[in-house]
Amino acid sequence: MRRSRLTRQLMATTLPLALIAGAGIAVADPMLGRTMSSYGLPGGIDTPTAETLPDGSLGATVSLSDYARRANIFFQALPGLTTVLRYGRVDGIDDFREEGFISDRSLDLRYQIVDEDGWRPAVAIGLQDFLGTGVYSGEYIVATRNVTPTVRASVGLGWGTLAGRPRVIDVTDLGGTPNVDQWFSGGAKPFASVSWQVNDRLNLTAEYSNDIYLARYSDGREPQQGDEPSSKLNLGASYRIGRNYEAGIYTIGGKTIGAQFTIALNPRDAAFPSGLEKAPAPVRPRVSPAQDPEGWSGSWSQDPTAQPAIQKALGDAMAKEGQRLESMALTATRAEVRLRNQRYINQAEAVGRTARLMTRALPPSVETFVITSTTDGMATSSVTMRRSDVERLENTEAGQIAAASTLSDAAQTAGLVPTPDLYPRFRWSVRPYLDIGIFSAEDGLTHEVGAEARASYEIIPGLIATGALRQRAFGDIGQRGPGIPGQRGEYFSPEEYESRPELETTPEGVPRVRSDTRMYTGNSSPVIPEATLAWYAKPSEAVYTRVTVGLLERAYGGVSAEALWKPATSPLGFGAEINRVRKRDFDQLFDFRDYEVTTGHVSAYYEFQQGFTAQLDVGQYLAGDVGATVTLAREFANGWRVGAYATKTDLSAEEFGEGSFDKGVTLSIPLGWATGQASRDRVSTNIRSLSRDGGSRVNVNGRLYDRVRDSHTVDLYEGWGRFWR
């Protein structure tokens, strides 16, 4: 059987990951958790189980008791791999502030080795708090099995905290590095739990736990986290509210009562799975040659008024579906349209709707359709298909039209006629904004609310002016200088910070490029977070370029230049970027401070199967440090993006400060997922446990890779199921 070029490209892209990931991905659904533990994982109350969550699940758990207050963000990164980023306040333990508690950040990983099968239980192995200071540090192996359809039992072996043998915490340790030599050491003890699913909403749990809620410091202190439990038995009850929420109460050792709340989302479980957008226009089959001899003969193409009329009719129809017909080349047998998708999160849906409209607007002699995607004036890829295949396959699965289509780099096509009156183009919007601060040891959860006006002016294709103006309304994020060295929780006032230039570097001599971020907050007057002029171009079929000048972000302005090599049919891409920037004044208007620096990176990108993308950036960062950033992200077919990154540079752990190196989690959710309305707008955030100076980059909007990948092989194919939507 003949395979199209697109099919062969897709097979070449997906096979390498299948070999890398192994059979662990292509398995039946694993044992799914019924309740969440206080550590933000499927489990008992404080003890783990071998359960997982539905693949791609993302959410948060907040638990409160006399022993700890924990906020957990969890993500089911793979069918068997569960990850948790935790921020906890542990009472009964002093830090430098001597306030009776510490604020701890930690990371957990759990992998389900095997799923339940017959008499064999599900088995998982986990690392708890393996990158933090080690307050919760422990490792475990646990097995879980269904005893009856409603009763589930777990038993395991735990080390560290799970065995009641807390690890010694080095008081000089800055955290952020795994203590591999301590893993599975110090003796193990068993733990167990039993859960009873009373009905589809209520679950009861009992567990046997060895945690004694004690911390051990290298200076000899052994503070107790509240009263030591008088019993190893913990009891809990949880109640599911709707599809996404869970509330629960529990007791620990008969000494204390705790409460917990969980919200869990899954990208595959949208409120409006099919969307609320209008149905596309149906394909219009061609009439017979006898009914339209002129249309089939192609003689219409000799009429100079034919293309303008056809282009206007097609452009108007595309505009009603959120598309822009940038230009068009038309002959008697071939039509190429260049479209900009302004509405649909999946580029495949925009291509499919355009193909339908072409069958309705073009004369019957046109058999070859070429649909070229564009962004910011750059043509990014072309999908070529036969009109007869579009007519024949309309009511079949999308995979058939994929097999009959060919994806290629967008070539320079002769005869392209721009659509009149598209440029210049002005757009603006006014929206509320919400900034949230989390993982702050001193402030807890903070917020700021206001209004943001944003505008863009496309002068010609590829030349775009963009600006934004913000006005704060209210909030508790206040302006302040960085902390006094060695005294956590104490900060300079803005006036003190401004009057002491020596504070613009850390005690180790590292420039404060991000640790004074709070100086850019709390402005009661209007601020300009961004004002730029950007020029996008495509000098060759697979090379894209960008030059951006102006106020690039709230803290830096200057010039940013970038080049990207990314063939449309390759999962591999390479890029390079250089920036010359200067630090902006804290009022975020048009004044600058003295600090000026050149940064630059070379980057490699690779797209795997199932929406995974790996990125490696190597170069110089804002503080002048040199190193590399590794990013792994996963994008789902409906546009959800979840990623994690880590940066290590030539700054030592002491020079970097608490955390030892930069790391964080990124999240981007399409608005259409929640509203059901087709939209390319997103809600995005970068969750970092600490804002430090090492490994920091300039935040530049419009970087090329994210601009072009939507219409390239892997990403286009991930959403190909919506071609006929």
Side-chain angles (χ1 to χ4, degrees):
M1 181 178 66
R2 180 180 67 88
R3 290 193 178 101
S4 74
R5 182 179 176 188
L6 178 58
T7 302
R8 295 194 300 271
Q9 292 160 354
L10 295 175
M11 291 178 65
T13 302
T14 57
L15 282 176
L17 184 66
L19 295 175
I20 293 171
I25 291 179
V27 296
D29 287 341
M31 176 183 285
L32 300 180
R34 293 174 173 171
T35 62
M36 303 296 289
S37 76
S38 64
Y39 285 93
L41 286 158
I45 298 164
D46 276 348
T47 60
T49 63
E51 300 164 308
T52 67
L53 296 167
D55 185 30
S57 292
L58 175 73
T61 292
V62 177
S63 62
L64 304 172
S65 74
D66 289 342
Y67 293 109
R69 305 177 188 180
R70 302 184 189 124
N72 312 287
I73 298 174
F74 57 82
F75 177 51
Q76 191 70 36
L78 287 170
L81 180 63
T82 315
T83 63
V84 174
L85 179 65
R86 180 181 307 106
Y87 172 78
R89 167 174 160 162
V90 186
D91 292 317
I93 304 177
D94 285 333
D95 67 354
F96 296 106
R97 296 167 299 173
E98 297 183 352
E99 293 181 351
F101 66 90
I102 64 168
S103 298
D104 182 71
R105 304 164 183 87
S106 53
L107 178 68
D108 292 7
L109 292 177
R110 178 198 292 175
Y111 186 74
Q112 188 188 72
I113 303 170
V114 294
D115 193 15
E116 182 183 42
D117 187 8
W119 285 97
R120 184 189 72 193
V123 178
I125 186 170
L127 301 175
Q128 182 172 291
D129 192 6
F130 71 99
L131 276 183
T133 54
V135 173
Y136 300 125
S137 175
E139 304 77 42
Y140 57 90
I141 299 174
V142 61
T144 301
R145 189 178 183 283
N146 288 304
V147 180
T148 72
T150 59
V151 177
R152 184 174 289 177
S154 300
V155 62
L157 282 177
W159 286 260
T161 296
L162 291 164
R165 297 185 173 103
R167 304 276 165 67
V168 176
I169 302 172
D170 186 351
V171 294
T172 64
D173 187 12
L174 297 172
T177 55
N179 298 316
V180 180
D181 58 327
Q182 295 185 357
W183 292 358
F184 301 97
S185 66
K189 286 186 178 181
F191 60 85
S193 66
V194 176
S195 67
W196 174 30
Q197 191 70 42
V198 180
N199 53 44
D200 59 352
R201 295 188 180 277
L202 178 63
N203 186 280
L204 303 179
T205 303
E207 72 175 12
Y208 175 85
S209 172
N210 289 293
D211 196 340
I212 59 175
Y213 303 97
L214 183 75
R216 291 195 174 111
Y217 282 85
S218 57
D219 60 7
R221 288 180 295 153
E222 290 192 347
Q224 188 75 45
Q225 303 170 39
D227 296 333
E228 183 173 349
S230 58
S231 168
K232 296 181 181 295
L233 180 64
N234 303 332
L235 301 174
S238 63
Y239 189 81
R240 187 171 298 277
I241 307 168
R243 296 189 305 172
N244 305 115
Y245 307 98
E246 179 185 283
I249 58 173
Y250 54 88
T251 65
I252 297 177
K255 284 283 189 179
T256 186
I257 295 177
Q260 182 169 303
F261 182 78
T262 299
I263 177 172
L265 303 174
N266 191 291
R268 295 186 176 91
D269 187 23
F272 308 95
S274 298
L276 299 178
E277 65 264 35
K278 293 174 62 177
V283 171
R284 177 177 291 171
R286 288 173 283 188
V287 299
S288 67
Q291 293 174 293
D292 187 4
E294 181 183 359
W296 278 94
S297 69
S299 59
W300 58 269
S301 62
Q302 305 303 315
D303 182 353
T305 65
Q307 176 163 341
I310 293 171
Q311 188 162 346
K312 183 178 188 312
L314 181 59
D316 291 346
M318 291 173 61
K320 292 178 181 178
E321 294 200 350
Q323 321 283 356
R324 285 179 65 188
L325 177 58
E326 297 273 338
S327 59
M328 184 175 181
L330 184 62
T331 68
T333 60
R334 181 183 184 275
E336 178 180 354
V337 299
R338 298 207 163 188
L339 73 94
R340 182 188 294 191
N341 172 21
Q342 300 179 122
R343 180 173 295 174
Y344 305 105
I345 201 70
N346 296 111
Q347 188 67 18
E349 184 170 356
V351 172
R353 287 181 174 244
T354 300
R356 289 173 182 263
L357 294 175
M358 291 174 73
T359 68
R360 306 177 67 83
L362 297 174
S365 65
V366 179
E367 169 65 9
T368 302
F369 289 180
V370 181
I371 302 174
T372 299
S373 300
T374 70
T375 181
D376 298 320
M378 304 178 294
T380 55
S381 73
S382 294
V383 176
T384 303
M385 63 190 71
R386 295 184 303 179
R387 181 178 188 164
S388 54
D389 289 331
V390 176
E391 295 170 336
R392 177 174 58 91
L393 300 172
E394 179 187 13
N395 295 313
T396 65
E397 62 181 15
Q400 294 194 42
I401 190 65
S405 305
T406 301
L407 179 71
S408 64
D409 288 306
Q412 297 296 326
T413 302
L416 280 169
V417 178
T419 299
D421 303 323
L422 285 187
Y423 297 94
R425 185 165 184 257
F426 179 73
R427 290 182 297 175
W428 64 276
S429 65
V430 177
R431 299 177 180 177
Y433 75 86
L434 169 64
D435 283 345
I436 297 178
I438 59 176
F439 295 139
S440 170
E442 290 75 25
D443 301 322
L445 183 68
T446 57
H447 70 282
E448 180 177 296
V449 178
E452 179 180 275
R454 181 168 290 271
S456 67
Y457 187 65
E458 297 180 76
I459 303 167
I460 58 175
L463 184 61
I464 306 170
T466 304
L469 183 69
R470 274 191 173 191
Q471 174 61 61
R472 170 186 171 128
F474 60 88
D476 57 3
I477 298 179
Q479 186 181 38
R480 68 186 187 195
I484 299 174
Q487 299 182 39
R488 297 177 59 186
E490 298 185 27
Y491 289 81
F492 292 109
S493 68
E495 294 74 21
E496 291 175 308
Y497 184 65
E498 289 277 37
S499 65
R500 298 178 59 179
E502 72 275 9
L503 295 177
E504 295 194 18
T505 60
T506 67
E508 292 77 16
V510 179
R512 291 194 183 276
V513 297
R514 292 296 185 198
S515 59
D516 60 356
T517 294
R518 286 292 295 266
M519 289 295 292
Y520 290 92
T521 63
N523 290 292
S524 57
S525 301
V527 299
I528 303 174
E530 177 188 0
T532 62
L533 180 66
W535 170 243
Y536 297 89
K538 189 178 182 184
S540 69
E541 285 191 2
V543 175
Y544 305 84
T545 60
R546 171 189 60 81
V547 177
T548 307
V549 60
L551 306 178
L552 304 177
E553 51 146 296
R554 67 177 182 177
Y556 291 92
V559 180
S560 174
E562 182 186 7
L564 173 70
W565 174 83
K566 178 62 176 70
T569 57
S570 172
L572 182 65
F574 294 101
E577 178 181 294
I578 187 168
N579 308 291
R580 181 64 179 177
V581 296
R582 192 168 184 177
K583 199 169 187 180
R584 296 179 62 187
D585 207 354
F586 300 131
D587 61 7
Q588 295 181 65
L589 295 177
F590 297 103
D591 294 328
F592 290 84
R593 303 182 70 80
D594 293 335
Y595 186 72
E596 192 170 354
V597 65
T598 298
T599 72
H601 288 79
V602 292
S603 304
Y605 311 88
Y606 195 87
E607 296 177 285
F608 295 97
Q609 187 189 17
Q610 296 200 1
F612 283 95
T613 301
Q615 179 176 338
L616 174 65
D617 304 295
V618 180
Q620 179 166 297
Y621 296 82
L622 279 172
D625 48 331
V626 176
T629 300
V630 177
T631 304
L632 182 64
R634 186 177 184 186
E635 181 171 357
F636 296 87
N638 61 4
W640 272 57
R641 296 175 184 169
V642 182
Y645 64 89
T647 301
K648 184 61 180 171
T649 71
D650 56 358
L651 290 182
S652 65
E654 290 74 20
E655 290 173 316
F656 182 89
E658 185 179 359
S660 299
F661 64 94
D662 191 44
K663 49 197 169 292
V665 173
T666 59
L667 173 64
S668 180
I669 300 177
L671 283 181
W673 179 87
T675 65
Q677 300 294 335
S679 172
R680 293 186 64 81
D681 290 338
R682 292 175 168 274
V683 176
S684 302
T685 187
N686 180 2
I687 302 171
R688 303 170 69 182
S689 61
L690 295 164
S691 182
R692 292 289 180 262
D693 302 304
S696 295
R697 295 184 66 177
V698 183
N699 298 322
V700 182
N701 282 331
R703 284 193 164 109
L704 292 170
Y705 185 70
D706 287 334
R707 282 288 201 262
V708 307
R709 67 184 292 260
D710 285 354
S711 59
H712 285 197
T713 307
V714 177
D715 208 46
L716 185 69
Y717 178 70
E718 288 291 332
W720 197 266
R722 297 187 69 87
F723 182 92
W724 291 123
R725 178 64 178 88

